Amino acid sequence: MWYAIEGHDGAGVLDRRMQARPQHLARLTALREEGRLLLAGPCPAIDAEDPGPAGFSGSIVVAEFASLAEARAWAEADPYVAAGVYERVDVRPFKPVLP
């Protein structure tokens, strides 16, 4: 089943986010190579493609896992969690409809 994972950045974490980004992207690349990644990306904190020093308010990942528990475990092991970037992570079942 598909799951939406939404990480919510804490305040003033842009430097930590950038330091942990290579490890974060490596995990997403692994999901993509396994055919389990529908989409992933950051949410700019302002209405701009490149938010600069404003940073990001969080990230969204939609990926396939065997269960909600597996999706939560994967989300909790994210390098952004370990680095203190995310102050909260929400994991919910997701049903793709379009396109």
Side-chain angles (χ1 to χ4, degrees), residues 16-36:
R16 283 185 260 168
R17 176 184 264 274
M18 298 315 291
Q19 288 178 339
R21 188 171 188 263
Q23 295 86 6
H24 173 79
L25 291 178
R27 295 177 82 233
L28 293 171
T29 299
L31 284 178
R32 184 186 67 203
E33 289 172 356
E34 295 168 7
R36 297 172 44 208

Side-chain angles (χ1 to χ4, degrees), residues 42-84:
C43 301
I46 60 173
D47 189 14
E49 285 277 330
D50 179 0
F56 301 90
S57 62
S59 302
I60 298 172
V61 174
V62 178
E64 188 175 35
F65 294 93
S67 67
L68 180 57
E70 185 181 310
R72 284 183 174 147
W74 186 90
E76 290 169 7
D78 194 291
Y80 284 172
V81 172

